[in-house]
Amino acid sequence: MALRLPGKKAVIVGGASDMAQAANRIFLEEGADLFLIDFNETALREFKESEPEYAGRIHLYPADVTSPEQIEKAFQTAEEVMGRIDILVNIAGIIRHHPITEMSYEDWNAVLRVNLTGYFHTCKNAVPYMKAQRYGRIVNIASIGGRTGRPGCGCNYSASKAGVVGLTQALAKELAPWSITVNAVAPGPLKGKMFYSMTKEQQEKLEEGIPLGELGDMDQIAYAILFLASDEASYATGEVFDINGGLYI
Ligand SMILES: NC(=O)c1ccc[n+]([C@@H]2O[C@H](COP(=O)([O-])OP(=O)(O)OC[C@H]3O[C@@H](n4cnc5c(N)ncnc54)[C@H](O)[C@@H]3O)[C@@H](O)[C@H]2O)c1
């Protein structure tokens, strides 16, 4: 069967996350080269070591998405190393849940800085290369927290992810003349570090009432990212793909 990302050059931000690791493997199998940005250098290295057969197609770049300078340098390096940037996937994210009365300004700002301003930095630096090519695929990871609110997410996290939806829709319209598509995937609760880092009570609230009856897997999100990053999705832009076991109805 034909590869779905033949020769594509992809930058994955938050490239060491559980979700990225699932997407990375599928992207490699489908023919893409990867430039992985994350501030967890150890997890980046461990991922590369876990995929020895693809080592030549995996480039690592430790950087902090909240730093405009680091992100500018990262994208310059990605273009130098890979020759072009076809795909940007924004996955980096943090969650700091507290009721609003106990939420500090630092908790509010930290989440907005990574989850929303971080995506602005990466889009801003990828777009000039994509415009020059008149081709690009941007896939942003939002969340059900940013679609309906969700007990256990926190208003900072929900606001940041609703912001990602707005960023996605606005950029889709702005960048369509250059054949750059911008879409989002909005997962429900998933089996992964982020979910298991929460208290038992928060986990129970998040799991409650999922029509399909269980948490999602990272692979179930990775295949949606693959579709939106591929040429199969060339007529989709500004879309938010809700994948949450039926919660968002
Ligand atoms: N896990 C879930 O249940 C769930 C549900 C909905 C949405 N999401 C979203 O999916 C994405 C991935 O989630 P995950 O469960 O794989 O999380 P994860 O905790 O495994 O990964 C988050 C990644 O972001 C990186 N990161 C955090 N701050 C950074 C910074 N300042 N600079 C660079 N990298 C930074 C971390 O090092 C980590 O690799 C996130 O955007 C999250 O909000 C997750």
Side-chain angles (χ1 to χ4, degrees), residues 13-21 37-41 43-44 61-67 70-71 90-95 110 113-115 118-119 140-145 153 157 160-161 164 185-198 206 215-216 218 221 243:
V13 185
S17 62
D18 288 343
M19 189 181 292
Q21 297 208 22
I37 301 174
D38 200 295
F39 71 179
N40 188 338
E41 198 172 345
L44 281 177
Y61 196 95
D64 185 335
V65 284
T66 67
S67 161
Q70 288 183 31
I71 292 305
N90 277 309
I91 301 186
I94 59 172
I95 192 162
R113 262 198 309 269
V114 176
N115 294 9
Y119 285 27
N140 294 323
I141 303 304
S143 165
I144 190 162
C153 281
Y157 183 85
S160 71
K161 294 298 191 178
V164 168
V185 177
L190 305 169
K191 293 169 205 152
K193 277 195 296 293
M194 186 175 274
F195 182 81
Y196 295 114
S197 72
M198 297 186 193
L206 275 166
L215 294 174
M218 293 298 170
I221 306 304
I243 301 187

Side-chain angles (χ1 to χ4, degrees), residues 95-100 103 143-159 187-190 194-195 198-210 215 244 247-248:
I95 192 162
R96 287 198 195 174
H97 172 64
H98 300 288
I100 192 165
M103 187 176 291
S143 165
I144 190 162
R147 303 288 279 157
T148 62
R150 183 89 185 130
C153 281
C155 65
N156 50 355
Y157 183 85
S158 290
L190 305 169
M194 186 175 274
F195 182 81
M198 297 186 193
T199 64
K200 201 84 208 121
E201 195 193 342
Q202 285 166 352
Q203 289 184 15
E204 278 166 15
K205 278 192 187 150
L206 275 166
E207 270 193 277
E208 228 166 68
I210 299 175
L215 294 174
N244 51 44
L247 273 173
Y248 181 55

Side-chain angles (χ1 to χ4, degrees), residues 23-200:
N24 294 346
R25 291 197 174 92
I26 293 171
F27 273 41
L28 288 165
E29 284 163 11
E30 295 294 343
D33 288 7
L34 301 182
F35 189 91
L36 306 180
I37 301 174
D38 200 295
F39 71 179
N40 188 338
E41 198 172 345
T42 310
L44 281 177
R45 230 186 2 256
E46 283 170 2
F47 172 74
K48 185 167 176 171
E49 283 164 11
S50 75
E51 296 294 329
E53 69 194 282
Y54 294 119
R57 285 168 41 207
I58 303 172
H59 309 283
L60 307 181
Y61 196 95
D64 185 335
V65 284
T66 67
S67 161
E69 297 77 21
Q70 288 183 31
I71 292 305
E72 186 180 355
K73 187 84 197 10
F75 278 82
Q76 284 167 358
T77 310
E79 204 269 345
E80 279 164 26
V81 169
M82 299 195 294
R84 51 189 284 131
I85 298 172
D86 298 302
I87 298 166
L88 164 64
V89 186
N90 277 309
I91 301 186
I94 59 172
I95 192 162
R96 287 198 195 174
H97 172 64
H98 300 288
I100 192 165
T101 46
E102 287 147 46
M103 187 176 291
S104 68
Y105 283 91
E106 172 49 20
D107 285 333
W108 173 268
N109 287 327
V111 169
L112 269 288
R113 262 198 309 269
V114 176
N115 294 9
L116 182 56
T117 311
Y119 285 27
F120 165 70
H121 293 155
T122 58
C123 291
K124 186 171 172 58
N125 283 285
V127 162
Y129 300 112
M130 292 178 171
K131 272 189 168 178
Q133 299 159 183
R134 303 192 74 82
Y135 179 91
R137 296 272 178 274
I138 299 177
V139 183
N140 294 323
I141 303 304
S143 165
I144 190 162
R147 303 288 279 157
T148 62
R150 183 89 185 130
C153 281
C155 65
N156 50 355
Y157 183 85
S158 290
S160 71
K161 294 298 191 178
V164 168
V165 171
L167 176 82
T168 301
Q169 291 170 330
L171 284 183
K173 293 192 171 63
E174 183 179 324
L175 301 175
W178 289 271
S179 302
I180 300 169
T181 66
V182 190
N183 293 288
V185 177
L190 305 169
K191 293 169 205 152
K193 277 195 296 293
M194 186 175 274
F195 182 81
Y196 295 114
S197 72
M198 297 186 193
T199 64
K200 201 84 208 121

